[in-house]
Every structure is written in structure tokens, then in C-alpha cells.
Amino acid sequence: AAQRIYTFKVAADYRKGLWRRIELPGAFPLGDLNRYLVRLFKHDADHMAGFWKVVRRGRQRTREVELATVDPFGRGKGSEQRIAELDLVEGDVIRWVYDFGEMFEYTLKLEAAADGPSAPDAADYPRVAGANEPELFYCASCQAKGKQVVAKWVCWECSEQQEAPHMLCDACTRLR
């Protein structure tokens, strides 16, 4: 099972439409998965996290079984537990919560567990196998001129005055 490649769809519960499909080997420990997800979703790396397996109880009810609590250094109760040791089958769900103060919650749904290469190259995993389309914001100044230029910046002063986000591209930020 440690040689199997597990494919999860990781979806943010706090922001609809934000998801990543990841592949990782069965030998991957939960402490390392936490570190990987923190980087993948661009969180600060200084908070606690936890993993829970969602177990069905009848048709509509579920309960959560704690798998691990991980500190910012990747250690903690259950952090050494490997994916293959969780006895997951396709369709099983794991809940990951990052930063117990802010409570960034994610659902990891196992889509597939397949035999990988006889000796998967550690450099190839974990990896992103799919992602949502990014939500693009366009520069307000360029749009006023009839152009569609992707914005990278928020003008907080303008946003406050207009009571709505005022987005700008690189070129328009240099003009201000």
C-alpha cells in the first residue's frame, strides 16, 4: 500500500470553487501532508492543524475520528501516520483544519488509489494533478479605457472611497 499513489480532491470549505487535485504516495506521513497543504494554499506556516476521517453512521449521519494534530514543525500526535495506514477506500473523506483560531477548513476526498510505479520517484510526489480556474480581477483604470488587463493590486484608498474593491494592473500602479 505504501507504493500506491493516492489522488485526493482537496476543496476549501471556506471559499467555494477553490480546489486542488493532488497525488501522493502511500508512504507520505500526515505531518508532511500538512506542510505540503500549507504551502499549496499559501497559509502562514506558524499554526496548528488537524486531520479527521469522516465516517458514515447510517444514511445521513457522520462522525469524525481524529487522525492527527500537527504543530507548525510537522510533529504531533499522529503526524507520523502514513496515508497507506489510514485504510482509505475511494470516496472516503478526510477533513483538514488549519489554524484553530481562524479555522480554515478543507475536505480531502479520495478519488483513486492506484498502483504506482514499482519505485515511485520521491521527487515526483506530492504533485498537483488539477486545479480550479483562477478567479481573475481586471484593472478598473484599463476597463474604463475599454481594455481587459488582469489586475494584481488593490488600491485601498480608492476601494474605501468607492466602497468596493478597486483593482489595478502593474502599469496603472506606477501611474499613481
Side-chain angles (χ1 to χ4, degrees):
Q3 298 296 328
R4 299 190 92 185
I5 302 301
Y6 291 77
T7 303
F8 290 93
K9 182 175 182 182
V10 184
D13 296 347
Y14 64 92
R15 186 170 151 207
K16 285 189 184 268
L18 175 60
W19 61 269
R20 300 289 182 268
R21 181 167 289 110
I22 61 170
E23 297 176 340
L24 46 107
F28 210 65
L30 290 176
D32 290 348
L33 177 57
N34 177 71
R35 190 175 302 117
Y36 177 70
L37 293 172
V38 166
R39 284 193 315 266
L40 185 64
F41 289 101
K42 298 179 178 24
H43 291 295
D44 294 330
D46 58 351
H47 295 284
M48 298 285 292
F51 290 94
W52 290 265
K53 183 176 181 181
V54 178
V55 179
R56 288 215 166 277
R57 295 179 69 189
R59 289 184 184 190
Q60 296 179 352
R61 294 179 44 193
T62 61
R63 66 182 174 97
E64 295 180 359
V65 177
E66 184 176 351
L67 298 173
T69 302
V70 185
D71 68 23
F73 303 102
R75 297 182 305 253
K77 178 184 165 211
S79 64
E80 294 299 319
Q81 195 169 186
R82 300 184 185 285
I83 298 297
E85 298 169 349
L86 302 178
D87 295 324
L88 299 172
V89 295
E90 290 180 15
D92 279 353
V93 173
I94 295 174
R95 199 164 75 88
W96 176 58
V97 176
Y98 183 72
D99 185 351
F100 296 146
E102 293 290 326
M103 296 292 288
F104 294 105
E105 297 182 42
Y106 294 82
T107 300
L108 288 76
K109 184 174 184 177
L110 181 63
E111 293 184 329
D115 291 332
S118 59
D121 186 356
D124 291 341
Y125 298 99
R127 66 182 175 200
V128 175
N132 59 292
E133 289 292 321
E135 183 179 352
L136 298 177
F137 297 97
Y138 296 99
C139 175
S141 297
C142 291
Q143 279 186 317
K145 298 173 191 168
K147 300 179 196 172
Q148 288 278 71
V149 179
V150 175
K152 294 183 182 177
W153 307 99
V154 176
C155 175
W156 295 111
E157 188 176 300
C158 300
S159 296
E160 190 173 293
Q161 290 171 357
Q162 297 171 9
E163 296 182 358
H166 188 84
M167 307 299 291
L168 297 171
C169 66
D170 282 334
C172 289
T173 59
R174 285 187 227 115
L175 299 175
R176 293 195 176 251

